[in-house]
Amino acid sequence: MSEKLNMHLDRINHFIKDELLPFEQSNNIGFETDLSREMYRSVWAMSASAGILQIMVPEHLGGAGLNTRELCIVKEAIAASDAKLFLHVIG
């Protein structure tokens, strides 16, 4: 894996551990919890402020500029995180 990809994976892992999982716990979110739009927006805002939401955007538009293989690795790492809201980390 490239150094750039490792950097993004590290940032994502810290985001999930330090922000997303505590958010889920404090709001009693489970896999079958019905969430309001505001809850989803909160996750997207947290992800955006951590620089993760835009990871799929090309570099010339302010994103990470990852290729398809790297994006698959990122999505796999997010899905394996045990976060209930993993689908919403990168939009």
Side-chain angles (χ1 to χ4, degrees), residues 2 5 7 13 17 22 31-32 35 42-43 62 64-65 69-70 73 76 78 82-86 91:
S2 71
L5 178 57
M7 178 191 70
N13 288 331
K17 181 181 140 211
F31 283 110
E32 297 195 20
L35 299 175
S42 294
V43 173
R69 179 184 163 276
E70 292 169 328
I73 291 169
E76 181 181 38
I78 294 168
D82 289 332
K84 281 67 170 181
L85 296 171
F86 73 92

Side-chain angles (χ1 to χ4, degrees), residues 15-76:
F15 169 75
I16 290 170
K17 181 181 140 211
D18 299 337
E19 295 185 49
L20 188 61
L21 291 175
F23 175 81
E24 290 177 345
Q25 290 172 350
S26 68
N27 289 286
N28 296 316
I29 296 172
F31 283 110
E32 297 195 20
T33 304
D34 288 326
L35 299 175
S36 67
R37 275 192 182 157
E38 293 309 313
M39 291 294 258
Y40 289 120
R41 286 184 181 139
S42 294
V43 173
W44 299 331
M46 290 168 27
S47 183
S49 69
I52 295 168
L53 186 64
Q54 58 273 35
I55 202 165
M56 295 175 50
V57 176
E59 231 171 352
H60 71 278
L61 296 174
L66 301 180
N67 63 37
T68 303
R69 179 184 163 276
E70 292 169 328
L71 287 173
C72 288
I73 291 169
V74 165
K75 287 182 177 187
E76 181 181 38

